[in-house]
């Protein structure tokens, strides 16, 4: 296929508008005429008309095309990978994290630290769970590997700070006890798929 056939090939049912490409000016007089034609043509005044129309709408009709941040915020996708959250059990209020350490092992940036102990019921208890958000690259591997859906990515993306130690705070990740009734099952990044039950295969029994 030649280059001409490639440009003129039928790439779809859309109707394309072919533009007239003018030759480049070669002399100084031709350059001056091109500047005059482009600067004082109707296209310039059409663009100015659109600009002044939007300005009039903003000044007199209180119409705006911007978001008044931080009063107004644009909605984000539920799959957005923002600051982590540690979810709790709705029945008991206990943390879902069982201290398996998979998120710490799979972390690429090595920013997750877990400290555990064995409690009086011979169960592993999480003493400290911290994420250095200054090093985190928000890859989402920790949420994918968590077997209990304990760590997920929330929707809070405003984590600017002047001190580095503010990026390693456990209390900001935990769900407050008085807000457990408002905690919904997470549907964002790290949640199970709606057809997870169909994908689970029954384990063949030996008897």
């Amino acid at each position: 296929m030649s280059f001409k056939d490639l440009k003129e090939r039928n790439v779809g049912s859309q109707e394309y508008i072919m533009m007239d490409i003018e030759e480049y000016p070669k002399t100084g007089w031709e350059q001056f005429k091109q500047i005059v034609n482009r600067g004082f043509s109707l296209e310039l005044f059409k663009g100015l008309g659109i600009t002044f129309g939007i300005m009039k709408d903003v000044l007199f009709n209180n119409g705006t095309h911007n978001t008044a941040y931080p009063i107004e915020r644009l909605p984000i996708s539920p799959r957005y990978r923002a600051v982590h959250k540690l979810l709790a059990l709705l029945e008991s209020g206990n943390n879902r994290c069982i201290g398996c350490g998979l998120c710490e092992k799979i972390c690429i940036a090595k920013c997750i630290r877990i400290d555990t102990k064995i409690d009086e019921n011979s169960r592993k208890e999480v003493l400290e769970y911290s994420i250095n958000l200054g090093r985190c690259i928000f890859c989402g591997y920790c949420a994918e590997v968590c077997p209990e859906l304990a760590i997920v990515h929330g929707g809070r993306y405003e984590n600017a700070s002047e001190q580095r130690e503010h990026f390693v705070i456990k209390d900001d990740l935990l769900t407050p006890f008085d807000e457990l009734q408002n905690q919904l099952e997470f549907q964002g990044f790290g949640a199970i798929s709606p057809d997870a039950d169909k994908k689970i295969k029954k384990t063949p029994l030996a008897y």
Side-chain angles (χ1 to χ4, degrees), residues 28 32-33 46 48-49 53 63 96 98 104 118-119 122 125 132 138 143-144 157 175 198 205:
F32 175 75
K33 289 194 300 183
K46 289 180 181 178
L48 290 176
R96 290 186 183 181
I98 58 176
E104 183 181 9
I118 303 299
D119 59 6
S122 299
E125 179 184 358
N132 189 345
F138 299 94
E144 290 183 359
Y157 54 88
T175 303
K198 299 179 181 179
L205 300 177

Side-chain angles (χ1 to χ4, degrees), residues 113-124:
R113 293 293 179 267
I114 302 177
D115 187 13
T116 60
K117 74 169 186 177
I118 303 299
D119 59 6
E120 61 275 4
N121 297 324
S122 299
R123 300 188 62 180
K124 187 179 290 186

Side-chain angles (χ1 to χ4, degrees), residues 152-169:
V152 296
H153 282 275
R156 183 169 68 90
Y157 54 88
E158 299 165 321
N159 55 344
S161 176
E162 296 179 355
Q163 302 293 331
R164 289 187 176 182
E165 57 266 18
H166 293 169
F167 290 121
V168 191
I169 299 178

Side-chain angles (χ1 to χ4, degrees), residues 137-156:
I137 61 175
F138 299 94
C139 61
Y141 283 174
C142 55
E144 290 183 359
V145 78
C146 182
E148 299 294 328
L149 295 180
I151 179 172
V152 296
H153 282 275
R156 183 169 68 90

Side-chain angles (χ1 to χ4, degrees), residues 175-194:
T175 303
F177 186 77
D178 54 349
E179 295 182 5
L180 284 179
Q181 66 274 9
N182 300 326
Q183 175 181 294
L184 302 176
E185 193 64 33
F186 191 71
Q187 297 297 329
F189 192 88
I192 57 175
S193 57

